[in-house]
Amino acid sequence: SRTMGHRSILRAVHESKDPTTYVVLFEDSAAMLGLVVAFLGVWLSQATGLAWLDGAASIVIGLILGATAFWLAWETKSLLIGESARREVVDGVRELAQNVSDIERVGEVLTLHMGPEYILVNLSVDFRDDCPAGRMEASIAALSGAIKGKWPRVKKVFVEAETLRSTSPDEPKPE
């Protein structure tokens, strides 16, 4: 499919940020498996005369539904509490920022999925000391556009300009 590409189903589901994709897939799969187990339980109970097989099938169905609910909760929890973008996005954003001539050093690159199709990026960068404010604004706008162009899910880019130079233990830290 278009969203799965060359990944396995489980990997595609794990990397998907749209819960409706895998909720439908696994809820329906669990329902179909439950129907098969129910049929087998009733059929075996009738064929053997052992009534407990029907009850055992009901327990298995409950375990299937419980496992499915647990797995879906596990997969969606990261979206509820906040999940960063994939490593390749973070590394790519860092690389784009490092290629901006007016940026001397890139500090933290923080990302957060705000929804399936919405990533927020926050960068802390150290601009060259001789970079005028106008060129700094242009560099930020160009960097933001490049990030959004390469990763369309990135909707907001915040660039924090700060001094990121390391200081020796003898030097006072900048305030």
Side-chain angles (χ1 to χ4, degrees):
S1 88
R2 182 173 53 90
T3 57
M4 192 170 119
H6 297 290
R7 300 174 289 179
S8 71
I9 290 174
L10 288 178
R11 183 176 172 121
V13 166
H14 181 69
E15 291 178 0
S16 172
K17 302 303 174 219
D18 187 1
T20 58
T21 302
Y22 50 83
V23 166
V24 169
L25 174 69
F26 285 98
E27 275 187 343
D28 290 352
S29 298
M32 291 302 294
L33 186 58
L35 286 172
V36 169
V37 170
F39 172 78
L40 289 174
V42 170
W43 182 76
L44 286 172
S45 176
Q46 292 294 316
T48 64
L50 300 173
W52 64 268
L53 289 173
D54 189 19
S58 296
I59 291 171
V60 170
I61 292 168
L63 292 173
I64 291 170
L65 294 175
T68 302
F70 178 79
W71 192 81
L72 289 173
W74 182 263
E75 285 297 322
T76 57
K77 79 167 174 42
S78 59
L79 286 175
L80 294 173
I81 61 174
E83 177 180 5
S84 63
R86 291 192 316 257
R87 184 90 237 148
E88 65 196 47
V89 174
V90 175
D91 292 344
V93 167
R94 178 177 297 282
E95 185 178 328
L96 284 175
Q98 288 170 336
N99 290 335
V100 174
S101 61
D102 288 322
I103 294 178
E104 196 171 293
R105 185 169 163 211
V106 179
E108 284 185 309
V109 177
L110 303 173
T111 60
L112 179 66
H113 271 277
M114 304 292 287
E117 300 294 325
Y118 190 111
I119 299 175
L120 174 127
V121 174
N122 188 15
L123 295 155
S124 63
V125 299
D126 187 3
F127 282 93
R128 292 179 15 178
D129 291 338
D130 63 346
C131 181
R135 213 166 65 207
M136 190 182 299
E137 288 175 5
S139 295
I140 290 171
L143 176 60
S144 178
I147 292 169
K148 291 175 183 177
K150 189 164 184 180
W151 295 283
R153 289 183 174 182
V154 174
K155 304 297 184 203
K156 289 284 185 186
V157 177
F158 295 100
V159 179
E160 183 178 3
E162 59 184 12
T163 301
L164 299 173
R165 292 181 193 86
S166 59
T167 57
S168 71
D170 300 334
E171 285 182 40
K173 292 185 179 180
E175 295 179 21

